[in-house]
Amino acid sequence: MARNSVSLSVPEPSWFTPKRLLVIFCVINLLNYVDRGAIASNGVNGSQGTCTSSGTCTSGSGIQGEFNLNNFEDGILSSAFMVGLLVASPIFASLAKSVNPFRLIGVGLSAWTVATAGCGFSFNFWSITICRMLVGVGEASFISLAAPFIDDNAPVAQKTAWLAIFYMCIPTGYAFGYVYGGLVGSYLNWRFAFWVEAIMMLPFAILGFVMKPLQLKGFAPAESRKALISMETAIPEVQEALNVKGSAESMKEEFGHTFSKLKCALLNLNRFSRFTKDMKELLVDKVYVVNVLGYCAYNFVLGAYSYWGPKAGYNIYKMSDADLIFGGITIVCGIVGTLAGGYILDLMTSTISNAFKLLSIATFFGAIFCFTAFCFKSMYAFLALFSIGELLVFATQGPVNYISLHCVKPSLRPLSMAISTVSIHIFGDVPSSPLVGVLQDSVNNWRETALILTSILFPAAGIWFIGTFLHSVDRFNEDEGQVTEVDRSNTTPLLGPKVAEARESSGEP
């Protein structure tokens, strides 16, 4: 009887648990949006200088006052990060197929840290605008990869709830940013707001390089040179022919150099071809396209709310503490509404069709309450109705991202999230902030401006309603057995077995 034994070393699992991973990603996401809220706050953003008819002038405050920006230029600051995000998101999503995703997150967070600190050192409009662009580059890797990791490791019956917890950090971060920016602007200088943010993000940037990477569904570990070996074995005749002529050693060296160039060219061509194929697959997916279109219209409104909300509240209702009031409402409504949306979808049974139903209903009624709120002259009536509207509107965060993750196969999820994020910014909050600034400069009436802006939520609800009639398939497990290869080094499954050694035995009597 012959018996063969093969000892397979299985690495110890990472110290991460799913809940620890969720907490870390939530804190990073929170810091991202604290930065957005801070630059929109009256304390950091400030105001223009004013002059009375008698000729008495007062100097402006914050960024707008120090750099003497008009409303259009001021709106540009909220959108400048999109340039970096637009360029970097597809790149990071594509690199995730060949480079460890956690290392990419480390690179992105490092860029974010440096760029945010640079905002504090800016000396004019263009210097701070360039730094805001680089902040977008830093965000790009994180937004493409965080949600797929969370969706992978969340309990099956709580996937939307976990996504809701993660996306709850968006309104919560904005709200904390308002309060944080207002306090820093009141007691220190607006520049300190950015320096403190950079210090807080630095440990997470370092963690992205030193922690043991984790695997992502649809991206299986493989030997890093596997593809190259197959290429080398495909051309033995060419190598043999070259060895026959001239000096064997010199010809081998020359061939190696030529082959190296050919290899790089082929890999780059293959990477571009794969990206083009993946983009085509996304753009012909009706479920994905309808979901993103509704999200763009929705984010057009939310982006302008988040940036201009404190100023509109201050001017319409004479709120002396607009930052704190809007921040407080957004914290409560953002947390309760976002979590409620995730839990309700899980109770309804998490399906793409149910997600579209929840999106359309919540957005439609949220739009009614928000629109009605701005029609009242009483600040208390406004706050009551607007709070209910925000509760409903924020209930969309979990379901809309659930659709983006589950309507595509796992290997496309990073690109799906990247293109979704790029789209909602480039067609949503990026143009909305400066356009609302232009509208306000034209009509000079914040109430009218707010009503026009809020009405755009109704088309968003209509687009998502169309999604309920589309044939949808949950493709979460479609890639089983057909996965993309990434570098094996230091990669360990998050929920890996706690076995140090496995043994395979086979034999014949």
Side-chain angles (χ1 to χ4, degrees), residues 279-315:
M279 280 297 299
K280 182 179 179 181
E281 188 170 345
L282 283 181
L283 295 178
V284 299
D285 189 326
K286 294 179 182 178
V287 173
Y288 180 77
V289 171
V290 167
N291 185 52
V292 172
L293 286 176
Y295 204 6
C296 288
Y298 166 92
N299 212 55
F300 187 95
V301 179
L302 266 289
Y305 271 176
S306 65
Y307 194 76
W308 294 112
K311 285 191 177 182
Y314 177 80
N315 286 277

Side-chain angles (χ1 to χ4, degrees), residues 71-135:
N71 283 336
F72 177 76
E73 291 173 327
D74 194 26
I76 289 291
L77 290 185
S78 72
S79 306
F81 78 97
M82 185 57 214
V83 176
L85 194 69
L86 174 64
V87 174
S89 289
I91 295 174
F92 278 121
S94 297
L95 287 175
K97 291 191 173 185
S98 56
V99 179
N100 215 299
F102 269 66
R103 296 295 178 254
L104 293 177
I105 289 176
V107 171
L109 296 183
S110 298
W112 190 96
T113 302
V114 172
T116 306
C119 290
F121 291 105
S122 57
F123 50 88
N124 60 17
F125 169 70
W126 286 110
S127 63
I128 193 170
T129 299
I130 291 172
C131 287
R132 299 308 297 173
M133 292 178 185
L134 294 176
V135 167

Side-chain angles (χ1 to χ4, degrees), residues 98 120 159 166 275 323 367 369 469 489 491:
S98 56
K159 284 187 178 292
F166 176 70
F275 173 76
D323 285 339
F369 277 98
F469 298 99
S489 71
T491 304

Side-chain angles (χ1 to χ4, degrees), residues 235 238-239 241-243 245-263:
I235 53 173
V238 177
Q239 190 169 8
L242 288 172
N243 288 339
K245 298 178 181 180
S247 170
E249 292 299 324
S250 62
M251 292 304 292
K252 282 182 180 180
E253 184 178 347
E254 181 180 348
F255 172 77
H257 182 66
T258 304
F259 178 75
S260 179
K261 289 184 178 180
L262 176 63
K263 172 188 68 180

Side-chain angles (χ1 to χ4, degrees), residues 18-36:
K19 289 183 179 179
R20 285 176 180 168
L21 182 71
L22 177 63
V23 169
I24 289 174
F25 279 177
C26 282
V27 174
I28 294 172
N29 206 28
L30 190 71
L31 286 173
N32 274 326
Y33 285 92
V34 163
D35 175 69
R36 305 264 191 97

Side-chain angles (χ1 to χ4, degrees), residues 42 175 178-179 309-310 313-314 317-333 379-380 382-384 386-387 390:
N42 288 327
Y178 292 153
V179 177
Y314 177 80
Y317 298 103
K318 307 306 177 185
M319 297 180 188
S320 58
D321 296 318
D323 285 339
L324 297 177
I325 293 174
F326 268 83
I329 291 175
T330 307
I331 287 175
V332 175
C333 296
M379 182 180 73
Y380 299 104
F382 164 78
L383 292 176
F386 190 73
S387 297
E390 279 207 324

Side-chain angles (χ1 to χ4, degrees), residues 181-195:
L183 293 174
V184 171
S186 299
Y187 295 101
L188 297 170
N189 184 279
W190 62 267
R191 297 177 185 274
F192 282 89
F194 297 112
W195 293 333

